[in-house]
Amino acid sequence: MTDNTQQFASDNYSGICPEAWAAMAEANHGHERAYGDDQWTARAADHFRRLFETDCEVFFAFNGTAANSLALSALCQSYHSVICSETAHVETDECGAPEFFSNGSKLLIARTENGKLTPAAIREIALKRQDIHYPKPRVVTLTQATEVGSVYRPDEIRAISATCRELGLNLHMDGARFANACAFLGCAPAELTWQAGVDVLCFGGTKNGMAVGDAILFFNKDLAEDFDYRCKQAGQLASKMRFLSAPWVGLLQDDAWLYYANHANHCARLLAELVSDIPGVSLMFPVEANGVFLQMSEPAVEALSARGWRFYTFIGAGGARFMCSWDTAEERVRELARDIREVMRTA
């Protein structure tokens, strides 16, 4: 396999979707005002407000790490804490950025069920200690879809939000794969966010067909005070902002974001179906978004890697994660399934 052969290690491997590419090309004509005071940034923000059916504050960052970390820093002080799952990206994969940008807010790890936080788990952590010697819980962060591919239903988010209101906590959502969650549930974005009690959403574009970029949406506009200054201080205020915002126009204006999320989810379901009858292969988690987590023998994992397939095995012995993308070809899914069947038979 050549280096540019379609792979399943990450949905970050994929290129830029045609709609985002075309919007960037169109934005490249002539001059525009700098630092976000341009027509493309205004159009993208308005598209988000229409999509979410509310007048939210919209900001753009280069990537999810910056978006999540800056959003969390806006929701708490350095002596506060953030409740998250043990698999949360902010805990395992952001190199301490949430703590760095908040000047030290501590992440507190809560138990999960299939990767999802529950009101009981949040309450357990929030009420564990309430003395002045312990960082005061101030924020809960959810990942939608979760790091193991599970999706929060609207009633689950509402229940968590009610717990947050009871305990005086803000609710943040890491939406790196928010599009895939919407596609799976068939829900309007508003149903999964502000209507369910989410204060801030970081909507990921990179895994949905863009080159770079996350949008930070403050549904509770009071929490967005001075957030533009945070972005500038953190190096997230793009001088040529239109090249961060224009791809969003391309994705949002004709619902390409949802079409591609549906396609990626479909390919993940197809892979799960094609390997469902292979002896020794089992699903580790339900396939609800665009990821498939398979339990396989170690020799089979090694043999599959030797055949040139790239995938992650960071989820435990014998566990392999396969991610589908906006551009995943069904034939590649079938090729992968055939090789999994072969290595399980011979390894």
Side-chain angles (χ1 to χ4, degrees):
M1 298 182 184
T2 61
D3 286 343
N4 64 351
T5 301
Q6 199 168 78
Q7 291 287 354
F8 294 84
S10 173
D11 34 9
N12 288 323
Y13 275 38
S14 61
I16 306 172
C17 71
E19 293 82 358
W21 187 270
M24 289 184 71
E26 187 179 348
N28 198 39
H29 292 291
H31 283 210
E32 285 280 356
R33 293 186 179 187
Y35 300 109
D37 191 23
D38 61 274
Q39 61 161 318
W40 289 96
T41 301
R43 286 172 62 188
D46 284 343
H47 275 299
F48 275 115
R49 294 180 185 116
R50 283 192 292 270
L51 179 64
F52 284 85
E53 306 170 64
T54 190
D55 184 23
C56 52
E57 293 284 356
V58 183
F59 301 88
F60 299 96
F62 288 101
N63 54 41
T65 294
N68 286 327
S69 302
L70 290 173
L72 291 174
S73 72
L75 302 182
C76 56
Q77 299 292 333
S78 59
Y79 49 83
H80 286 142
S81 57
V82 177
I83 298 173
C84 65
S85 80
E86 69 268 24
T87 56
H89 202 277
V90 294
E91 161 67 11
T92 64
D93 289 278
E94 289 182 349
C95 197
E99 296 93 331
F100 175 81
F101 282 108
S102 63
N103 291 316
S105 297
K106 186 176 177 60
L107 299 180
L108 301 179
I109 310 306
R111 295 177 293 104
T112 59
E113 298 175 7
N114 274 334
K116 293 190 283 188
L117 291 172
T118 65
I122 292 168
R123 187 174 284 105
E124 177 185 0
I125 296 297
L127 301 179
K128 181 179 178 180
R129 282 180 59 178
Q130 296 178 291
D131 59 89
I132 200 170
H133 304 287
Y134 196 70
K136 184 179 181 180
R138 184 60 176 168
V139 184
V140 170
T141 179
L142 311 177
T143 308
Q144 177 77 313
T146 74
E147 288 79 7
V148 299
S150 53
V151 173
Y152 288 94
R153 275 58 171 176
D155 61 329
E156 293 175 313
I157 302 173
R158 285 194 295 268
I160 287 172
S161 172
T163 301
C164 289
R165 288 195 300 272
E166 172 195 335
L167 300 173
L169 308 173
N170 292 315
L171 183 55
H172 164 266
M173 180 175 283
D174 174 353
R177 297 184 178 92
F178 181 75
N180 302 93
C182 291
F184 172 72
L185 293 174
C187 289
E191 294 180 73
L192 296 179
T193 53
W194 65 271
Q195 289 181 355
V198 173
D199 293 304
V200 185
L201 166 71
C202 295
F203 194 146
T206 308
K207 296 174 173 62
N208 197 208
M210 286 173 49
V212 294
D214 267 49
I216 305 116
L217 279 60
F218 282 84
F219 304 111
N220 182 342
K221 296 173 70 171
D222 291 341
L223 297 173
E225 184 179 358
D226 291 340
F227 192 75
D228 49 349
Y229 286 88
R230 288 185 185 275
C231 291
K232 173 61 179 179
Q233 187 181 63
Q236 294 297 312
L237 178 62
S239 56
K240 296 183 179 181
M241 182 68 79
R242 69 186 187 275
F243 295 110
L244 276 186
S245 54
W248 281 113
V249 175
L251 272 183
L252 298 178
Q253 64 186 355
D254 294 316
D255 288 336
W257 69 278
L258 189 58
Y259 172 81
Y260 289 128
N262 267 310
H263 173 75
N265 289 4
H266 163 73
C267 288
R269 291 193 300 271
L270 176 62
L271 177 60
E273 292 166 5
L274 291 172
V275 303
S276 62
D277 66 336
I278 301 177
V281 174
S282 60
L283 284 175
M284 300 178 69
F285 306 100
V287 178
E288 296 183 342
N290 62 322
V292 181
F293 295 76
L294 298 178
Q295 192 77 45
M296 303 165 58
S297 69
E298 286 290 350
V301 167
E302 294 172 3
L304 199 61
S305 295
R307 290 184 178 218
W309 293 102
R310 296 178 183 172
F311 53 94
Y312 284 139
T313 57
F314 54 78
I315 50 178
R321 187 194 79 167
F322 302 90
M323 298 301 300
C324 297
S325 304
W326 70 269
D327 64 344
T328 296
E330 286 194 16
E331 183 50 39
R332 283 295 286 166
V333 176
R334 297 181 188 278
E335 289 175 19
L336 173 59
R338 285 195 292 269
D339 274 5
I340 291 174
R341 188 177 298 275
E342 181 66 22
V343 298
M344 287 300 296
R345 184 168 61 244
T346 60

